[in-house]
Amino acid sequence: DIQMTQSPSSVSASVGDRVTITCRASQSISSWLAWYQQKPGKAPNLLIYAASSLESGVPSRFSGTGSGTDFTLTISSLQPEDFATYYCQQANSFPLTFGGGTKVEIK
Amino acid sequence: QVQLVESGGGVVQPGRSLRLSCEASGFIFSSYGMHWVRQAPGKGLEWVSFISYDGSNTDYADSVKGRFTISRDKSKNTLYLQMNSLRAEDTAIYYCAKQILGYRGITHYWGQGALVTVPS
């Protein structure tokens, strides 16, 4: 199985900050990576797919980069509604696997 | 608009069975692969199972293989998850999710979730 390792597990940031979350795959997954945002009590929401493609309706302050084993999600200017938990997920092969999550908290 | 509505959750004793349903609307159900993903209380996301658009291909997490069965009924626009031999570690919110066309394994619409509780 492909292991997905996210870092950091949590980050404290202020509104307007630039936030970067990294995700590392245990083997190459090409660009078969997605990023999801989840708020408490809600289902996850797709932000980025194919490593760098922005899902329709997602603000442009979210961006994704990377290929192979190393990937990054960047929020260019953190907004109040962005405080949530973020997960990466590989879609290269079954079983699909998620990273452990990164909680973005208010500083 | 796309809607996915799960039902069938509840409290079930270890070793017993439960069937979850996910009623889909707002899209051509028979054209899309579908997934089940679960989340134990306070924990991260765990993929559970996949079924192809026509039901011909399925896949499962090792943790549920041999106990859970995914299926779909195109006449009812409904996805199912039959869960047998339930264990305490199966306690979770179960989400059904619609796969993006052309992007295997990536989902862009999720239901609200169904809570399954298996007491230890």
Side-chain angles (χ1 to χ4, degrees):
Chain A
D1 298 2
I2 298 175
Q3 309 303 316
M4 304 300 293
T5 304
Q6 267 183 256
S7 61
S9 57
S10 66
V11 57
S12 293
S14 301
V15 172
D17 284 354
R18 182 183 184 89
V19 173
T20 299
I21 300 168
T22 63
C23 182
R24 175 164 287 176
S26 60
Q27 64 188 73
S28 177
I29 59 170
S30 185
S31 295
W32 289 98
L33 185 100
W35 289 97
Y36 297 88
Q37 176 195 66
Q38 187 180 32
K39 296 181 179 179
K42 300 293 187 182
N45 181 47
L46 178 66
L47 300 174
I48 301 284
Y49 64 96
S52 60
S53 295
L54 192 68
E55 170 66 352
S56 175
V58 174
S60 59
R61 62 182 179 272
F62 291 94
S63 63
T65 60
S67 67
T69 60
D70 293 311
F71 302 87
T72 299
L73 173 71
T74 299
I75 310 171
S76 60
S77 177
L78 199 66
Q79 297 302 300
E81 60 268 31
D82 300 336
F83 292 96
T85 300
Y86 294 83
Y87 295 93
C88 62
Q89 178 230 314
Q90 67 82 15
N92 182 74
S93 60
F94 289 110
L96 307 181
T97 45
F98 290 88
T102 296
K103 188 172 184 179
V104 177
E105 300 174 298
I106 301 172
K107 185 182 251 184
Chain B
Q1 70 279 23
V2 172
Q3 278 201 302
L4 299 168
V5 179
E6 299 97 337
S7 60
V11 180
V12 58
Q13 292 302 307
R16 303 299 293 266
S17 299
L18 201 63
R19 188 179 80 160
L20 300 181
S21 300
C22 170
E23 186 171 351
S25 60
F27 65 101
I28 302 172
F29 179 67
S30 58
S31 294
Y32 291 86
M34 298 291 294
H35 297 259
W36 288 98
V37 177
R38 69 184 181 182
Q39 187 169 35
K43 302 297 184 183
L45 300 169
E46 180 188 15
W47 173 79
V48 173
S49 186
F50 161 77
I51 187 167
S52 60
Y53 70 99
D54 60 356
S56 62
N57 290 302
T58 60
D59 215 319
Y60 299 91
D62 286 346
S63 58
V64 307
K65 200 170 291 184
R67 300 188 299 123
F68 289 12
T69 302
I70 192 171
S71 62
R72 62 193 301 160
D73 184 337
K74 68 178 182 180
S75 69
K76 296 182 179 179
N77 282 354
T78 300
L79 175 72
Y80 301 101
L81 186 67
Q82 177 68 42
M83 304 183 293
N84 298 334
S85 303
L86 282 161
R87 306 167 179 167
E89 53 266 36
D90 295 319
T91 294
I93 297 172
Y94 285 75
Y95 297 100
C96 64
K98 171 183 175 286
Q99 185 167 278
I100 292 181
L101 200 61
Y103 288 90
R104 176 198 68 220
I106 299 179
T107 52
H108 62 155
Y109 286 98
W110 295 52
Q112 84 287 352
L115 177 61
V116 174
T117 302
V118 186
S120 55

